[in-house]
Amino acid sequence: MQVIATAGHVDHGKSTLVRALTGMEPDRWAEERRRGMTIDLGFAWTTLGSGERIAFVDVPGHERFVTNMLAGVGPCPAVMVVVAADEGWQAQSAEHLAALDALGVRHGLLVVTRADLADPEPALVQARNHLEKTGLAGIDSVVVSGRTGQGLAELEAALARLAAAIPEPDTEGAVRLWIDRVFTITGAGTVVTGTLSGGSLRVGDELDAGGHLVRVRGLQTLGEKAEQVSATARVAVNLRGVDRDDLSRGTALLTPGAWMPAQVIDVRLDPDGNQRREAVLHVGSAAVPVRLRALGAGTARLTLARPLPLRTGDRGLLRDPGRREIVTGLRVLDIRPAPLRRRGAAAARAAALDEVDLPDSAALLRWHGLLTGVELAAMGCPPGGAPVVGDWYADPAHWSSLGGRLADQVSRRPPLDPGITVDAAAQLLGLPDRRLAEALVAPPLVLEAGRILPAGRSLPPPIAEAVAELAAELAERPFHAPTAERLAELGLTGKALAAALRAGALTSIGKNVVLLPDALDRAAEMLARLPSPFTVSDARVALDTSRRVAVPLLECLDARGITRRTDNELRTCRPHD
């Protein structure tokens, strides 16, 4: 299926043409039929001779209903521009074309109607000249009469060619269905309609509807029930979990967790556009008042009156409803820009935005420093490359800078300082996840017992001398651990002892039990020569030490799996490989 919107001046035959093609009445309201003028969006569909199913979104052509027109055209991938042969190009023809160009619509068909009332050639030439200045330049054209049926066969053939030329949508991506109609059905509840431009909907799906978690109770497309509908399609969705009054045109049905609400965005404006301090942003079926702050000649920051689910690359337009004119088209560049707090920040931001045409994940990381893969995907740019840790991705320059700052902070600390905790490092660097601080630890830093400190930091001379004296004492009797009094005599207490332990000059096997770093390995070799099983007393004798040392030493060897208890009193040694 393809969904095509109509566009054109009031009373140029858009609805008549849709009736002739589909046999359906697109005007839903009695007032529309009484006045012979479309006021709100109308919907109809048909199956072409080629087998292609086409759904039409018929829009009003009167200047008072441009907001309704934009709500219908916004999500559609293609348009049928209608111009009457007997009236030619008119004011709303121009405004509708400007809107289509601003929204980035590039697939369409020009239809000159009422060929039975006037020579269509002047209107055709005039319309082509106007289209030539837009993204719809060179589109196919057809001359018809909805009243007599002239040219309808040619129109169907042209519609088939147009449908075949529209790019295939991403049916596996996240859903964002802009709602253009909300109503209730007795016995069914709340129903919304819209143009599904990406992803797929299934009965039973959970969706986010304006902050309400809802479930798809039923689906219809082109008047037929369905278990699943894939883009592109007109779809009616029966929802469970939300009242009709909670939703309105401009709300979007979203895949939960796949979109980020944006209230401040940076955008690139169309080159020929104007800048106003206040306007209305039209995107999808939404119309939201915004305040503009110019950043550079072609970029601006918009503050929205309410958040919208936007992504990098989204097209929209700004309109001045007071003057009833389109201000400019725009493309979304960043949906989470950093605040502009310092003098010159706006100019610097404009320069950064000007470096890219359309941002990719590398550009977003350059602007934000750190983002998760989920955030990048929700912003419209799935990540490339490998994460630095978990789902976190980093700009290389920013990551290097963070590592440098961490190393600088740690190196400035006093020699006996125990280093900083991972949590403290994360807070110091403003990191959102402590795992990032851990991942930043690299030479000349090491992570020991949850603290970050310099690798191989040399001991101050007094401590090094005390360690050397103790090592000499333990040379002949390596398991004759010094007493607390002897450690105090050597000055190896408090921070000094902690520094020696962190540096690996000594090892602690229990409270106030300190040995040389290779003591456990040497003990394992000596105990392996004992007949198994052996007692603590056997070990104490073999190691020439006291029970004060033997008990915690054996417990350390137990923890390493070198020795193993066979009962409360006996142990065996693990066989050597």
Side-chain angles (χ1 to χ4, degrees):
M1 182 197 308
Q2 292 296 349
V3 183
I4 299 174
T6 63
H9 194 74
V10 62
D11 201 30
H12 273 210
K14 297 185 295 299
S15 299
T16 301
L17 193 59
V18 171
R19 288 188 203 98
L21 284 166
T22 66
M24 301 176 66
E25 175 56 67
D27 288 338
R28 296 182 290 116
W29 307 113
E31 182 183 357
E32 293 177 305
R33 294 190 288 271
R34 179 178 57 81
R35 296 170 62 178
M37 181 178 73
T38 301
I39 297 173
D40 204 352
L41 302 178
F43 311 103
W45 54 88
T46 189
T47 301
L48 303 178
S50 63
E52 180 74 46
R53 304 185 83 185
I54 300 290
F56 293 98
V57 179
D58 189 33
V59 308
H62 197 283
E63 63 177 346
R64 287 186 295 161
F65 306 116
V66 170
T67 296
N68 291 347
M69 173 266 178
L70 293 172
V73 169
C76 292
V79 65
M80 189 164 63
V81 181
V82 179
V83 180
D86 58 333
E87 291 192 5
W89 197 258
Q90 297 292 318
Q92 291 311 114
S93 306
E95 184 170 18
H96 283 200
L97 180 59
L100 295 168
D101 195 42
L103 292 172
V105 179
R106 298 294 179 261
H107 299 276
L109 176 64
L110 171 62
V111 182
V112 176
T113 59
R114 299 187 192 171
D116 57 314
L117 299 180
D119 179 5
E121 189 61 27
L124 188 60
V125 172
Q126 189 181 32
R128 283 174 174 166
N129 288 337
H130 285 283
L131 292 171
E132 197 61 35
K133 305 169 187 177
T134 72
L136 291 170
I139 61 174
D140 206 354
S141 59
V142 182
V143 173
V144 303
S145 168
R147 188 177 66 84
T148 67
Q150 173 190 344
L152 288 182
E154 291 80 0
L155 176 56
E156 282 206 13
L159 286 170
R161 291 192 297 271
L162 172 60
I166 298 172
E168 288 293 322
D170 178 10
T171 58
E172 300 299 322
V175 167
R176 178 179 59 179
L177 177 72
W178 293 104
I179 296 172
D180 52 37
R181 188 181 172 209
V182 186
F183 54 96
T184 57
I185 295 178
T186 303
T190 304
V191 178
V192 301
T193 67
T195 298
L196 182 63
S197 55
S200 298
L201 287 171
R202 300 167 186 83
V203 173
D205 280 354
E206 282 193 340
L207 299 170
D208 182 328
H212 302 274
L213 189 63
V214 300
R215 189 175 296 276
V216 176
R217 183 177 182 182
L219 289 171
Q220 279 195 7
T221 181
L222 307 190
E224 300 172 357
K225 288 185 178 181
E227 289 296 312
Q228 175 177 325
V229 180
S230 297
T232 301
R234 282 296 303 175
V235 62
V237 189
N238 183 196
L239 299 174
R240 178 184 290 117
V242 67
D243 292 332
R244 185 255 177 273
D245 293 339
D246 293 326
L247 305 177
S248 61
R249 177 176 290 174
T251 306
L253 291 184
L254 307 171
T255 299
W259 299 86
M260 297 170 59
Q263 194 154 9
V264 178
I265 60 175
D266 285 348
V267 302
R268 174 166 291 116
L269 306 176
D270 287 351
D272 56 350
N274 301 312
Q275 290 202 19
R276 305 275 172 81
R277 291 189 62 84
E278 295 184 349
V280 174
L281 170 66
H282 292 266
V283 59
S285 63
V288 177
V290 298
R291 288 185 289 107
L292 281 75
R293 175 178 178 178
L295 298 175
T299 52
R301 176 159 295 185
L302 307 187
T303 302
L304 284 61
R306 65 177 175 88
L308 289 178
L310 301 177
R311 283 186 172 177
T312 294
D314 279 344
R315 296 283 314 195
L317 65 84
L318 297 174
R319 186 169 180 268
D320 185 339
R323 299 186 181 184
R324 293 183 178 176
E325 64 180 12
I326 292 172
V327 175
T328 185
L330 60 84
R331 172 162 282 182
V332 177
L333 300 180
D334 193 353
I335 65 169
R336 283 180 50 184
L340 303 172
R341 293 195 175 100
R342 294 177 295 181
R343 183 185 297 273
R349 179 58 171 163
L353 295 174
D354 287 341
E355 291 177 356
V356 298
D357 177 32
L358 184 62
D360 55 11
S361 60
L364 290 179
L365 287 171
R366 192 161 59 248
W367 298 341
H368 293 271
L370 294 165
L371 291 169
T372 66
V374 171
E375 289 173 329
L376 283 165
M379 295 170 80
C381 299
V388 292
V389 65
D391 191 40
W392 285 101
Y393 292 78
D395 172 64
H398 181 64
W399 189 248
S400 177
S401 173
L402 288 172
R405 287 172 56 195
L406 179 60
D408 181 62
Q409 289 291 331
V410 173
S411 67
R412 290 183 182 183
R413 303 178 79 87
L416 297 185
D417 188 87
I420 60 175
T421 65
V422 172
D423 290 329
Q427 185 175 10
L428 182 70
L429 299 176
L431 300 175
D433 189 329
R434 71 186 310 274
R435 292 178 300 169
L436 292 167
E438 291 178 342
L440 282 169
V441 177
L445 304 179
V446 293
L447 180 62
E448 292 183 359
R451 290 183 174 271
I452 303 171
L453 61 156
R457 179 161 60 184
S458 59
L459 292 170
I463 300 176
E465 291 171 4
V467 169
E469 186 175 345
L470 178 58
E473 295 176 2
L474 294 174
E476 295 298 324
R477 301 179 66 187
F479 306 105
H480 193 70
T483 63
E485 291 76 14
R486 179 54 181 155
L487 288 173
E489 290 174 1
L490 293 169
L492 292 174
T493 58
K495 290 184 178 180
L497 179 59
L501 293 171
R502 283 197 307 273
L506 298 173
T507 187
S508 175
I509 62 170
K511 186 177 181 179
N512 294 326
V513 182
V514 176
L515 298 172
L516 295 179
D518 63 347
L520 291 176
D521 291 336
R522 295 179 66 177
E525 292 178 7
M526 297 175 69
L527 294 176
R529 302 188 193 111
L530 287 177
S532 291
F534 58 84
T535 64
V536 172
S537 181
D538 294 333
R540 179 183 63 77
V541 172
L543 299 175
D544 186 21
T545 188
S546 64
R547 186 176 180 84
R548 177 179 75 91
V549 176
V551 170
L553 189 149
L554 287 171
E555 289 174 349
C556 287
L557 294 175
D558 289 345
R560 292 189 177 189
I562 295 173
T563 56
R564 182 175 61 86
R565 287 177 180 269
T566 59
D567 58 31
N568 290 336
E569 299 295 332
L570 301 175
R571 282 180 171 82
T572 60
C573 277
R574 182 186 66 195
H576 288 290
D577 294 333

mmCIF file of all heavy atoms in Angstrom, residues 461-471 490-492:
data_model
loop_
_atom_site.group_PDB
_atom_site.id
_atom_site.type_symbol
_atom_site.label_atom_id
_atom_site.label_comp_id
_atom_site.label_asym_id
_atom_site.label_seq_id
_atom_site.Cartn_x
_atom_site.Cartn_y
_atom_site.Cartn_z
ATOM 1 N N PRO A 461 61.452 7.372 50.618
ATOM 2 C CA PRO A 461 62.667 6.738 51.181
ATOM 3 C C PRO A 461 62.509 6.172 52.587
ATOM 4 O O PRO A 461 62.954 5.034 52.832
ATOM 5 C CB PRO A 461 63.694 7.876 51.143
ATOM 6 C CG PRO A 461 63.246 8.722 49.988
ATOM 7 C CD PRO A 461 61.752 8.666 50.005
ATOM 8 N N PRO A 462 61.861 6.888 53.560
ATOM 9 C CA PRO A 462 61.758 6.299 54.907
ATOM 10 C C PRO A 462 61.001 4.980 54.914
ATOM 11 O O PRO A 462 61.368 4.039 55.624
ATOM 12 C CB PRO A 462 61.011 7.378 55.701
ATOM 13 C CG PRO A 462 61.270 8.650 54.968
ATOM 14 C CD PRO A 462 61.318 8.253 53.529
ATOM 15 N N ILE A 463 59.931 4.894 54.103
ATOM 16 C CA ILE A 463 59.148 3.662 54.071
ATOM 17 C C ILE A 463 59.927 2.567 53.364
ATOM 18 O O ILE A 463 59.938 1.402 53.797
ATOM 19 C CB ILE A 463 57.792 3.908 53.381
ATOM 20 C CG1 ILE A 463 56.995 4.964 54.138
ATOM 21 C CG2 ILE A 463 56.988 2.614 53.287
ATOM 22 C CD1 ILE A 463 55.676 5.341 53.488
ATOM 23 N N ALA A 464 60.595 2.920 52.260
ATOM 24 C CA ALA A 464 61.394 1.940 51.534
ATOM 25 C C ALA A 464 62.492 1.372 52.431
ATOM 26 O O ALA A 464 62.791 0.159 52.402
ATOM 27 C CB ALA A 464 61.984 2.585 50.289
ATOM 28 N N GLU A 465 63.117 2.218 53.250
ATOM 29 C CA GLU A 465 64.176 1.756 54.149
ATOM 30 C C GLU A 465 63.602 0.815 55.215
ATOM 31 O O GLU A 465 64.224 -0.196 55.555
ATOM 32 C CB GLU A 465 64.854 2.960 54.805
ATOM 33 C CG GLU A 465 65.665 3.797 53.816
ATOM 34 C CD GLU A 465 66.150 5.106 54.436
ATOM 35 O OE1 GLU A 465 65.911 5.303 55.655
ATOM 36 O OE2 GLU A 465 66.749 5.923 53.713
ATOM 37 N N ALA A 466 62.427 1.146 55.728
ATOM 38 C CA ALA A 466 61.817 0.289 56.746
ATOM 39 C C ALA A 466 61.462 -1.070 56.160
ATOM 40 O O ALA A 466 61.647 -2.119 56.808
ATOM 41 C CB ALA A 466 60.575 0.969 57.309
ATOM 42 N N VAL A 467 60.926 -1.100 54.921
ATOM 43 C CA VAL A 467 60.584 -2.357 54.260
ATOM 44 C C VAL A 467 61.837 -3.188 54.030
ATOM 45 O O VAL A 467 61.851 -4.417 54.228
ATOM 46 C CB VAL A 467 59.837 -2.085 52.941
ATOM 47 C CG1 VAL A 467 59.718 -3.372 52.113
ATOM 48 C CG2 VAL A 467 58.456 -1.517 53.204
ATOM 49 N N ALA A 468 62.924 -2.517 53.630
ATOM 50 C CA ALA A 468 64.184 -3.237 53.392
ATOM 51 C C ALA A 468 64.708 -3.864 54.683
ATOM 52 O O ALA A 468 65.208 -5.004 54.692
ATOM 53 C CB ALA A 468 65.222 -2.279 52.802
ATOM 54 N N GLU A 469 64.599 -3.149 55.792
ATOM 55 C CA GLU A 469 65.056 -3.686 57.073
ATOM 56 C C GLU A 469 64.226 -4.893 57.471
ATOM 57 O O GLU A 469 64.760 -5.912 57.943
ATOM 58 C CB GLU A 469 64.970 -2.598 58.138
ATOM 59 C CG GLU A 469 65.562 -3.022 59.481
ATOM 60 C CD GLU A 469 65.572 -1.893 60.504
ATOM 61 O OE1 GLU A 469 65.383 -0.725 60.104
ATOM 62 O OE2 GLU A 469 65.777 -2.199 61.697
ATOM 63 N N LEU A 470 62.889 -4.803 57.253
ATOM 64 C CA LEU A 470 62.023 -5.934 57.588
ATOM 65 C C LEU A 470 62.317 -7.126 56.683
ATOM 66 O O LEU A 470 62.340 -8.286 57.138
ATOM 67 C CB LEU A 470 60.550 -5.524 57.466
ATOM 68 C CG LEU A 470 59.524 -6.627 57.740
ATOM 69 C CD1 LEU A 470 59.708 -7.196 59.152
ATOM 70 C CD2 LEU A 470 58.101 -6.091 57.559
ATOM 71 N N ALA A 471 62.572 -6.875 55.418
ATOM 72 C CA ALA A 471 62.884 -7.959 54.483
ATOM 73 C C ALA A 471 64.153 -8.685 54.903
ATOM 74 O O ALA A 471 64.255 -9.925 54.783
ATOM 75 C CB ALA A 471 63.033 -7.402 53.073
ATOM 76 N N LEU A 490 59.526 0.065 63.354
ATOM 77 C CA LEU A 490 59.991 0.321 61.980
ATOM 78 C C LEU A 490 59.271 1.498 61.327
ATOM 79 O O LEU A 490 59.681 1.964 60.256
ATOM 80 C CB LEU A 490 59.784 -0.934 61.125
ATOM 81 C CG LEU A 490 60.647 -2.150 61.476
ATOM 82 C CD1 LEU A 490 60.151 -3.385 60.733
ATOM 83 C CD2 LEU A 490 62.116 -1.862 61.136
ATOM 84 N N GLY A 491 58.200 1.959 61.939
ATOM 85 C CA GLY A 491 57.413 3.048 61.340
ATOM 86 C C GLY A 491 56.424 2.554 60.300
ATOM 87 O O GLY A 491 55.893 3.356 59.505
ATOM 88 N N LEU A 492 56.146 1.257 60.295
ATOM 89 C CA LEU A 492 55.222 0.681 59.309
ATOM 90 C C LEU A 492 53.831 0.511 59.935
ATOM 91 O O LEU A 492 53.358 -0.595 60.216
ATOM 92 C CB LEU A 492 55.757 -0.659 58.806
ATOM 93 C CG LEU A 492 57.031 -0.592 57.965
ATOM 94 C CD1 LEU A 492 57.541 -1.988 57.641
ATOM 95 C CD2 LEU A 492 56.783 0.207 56.689
#
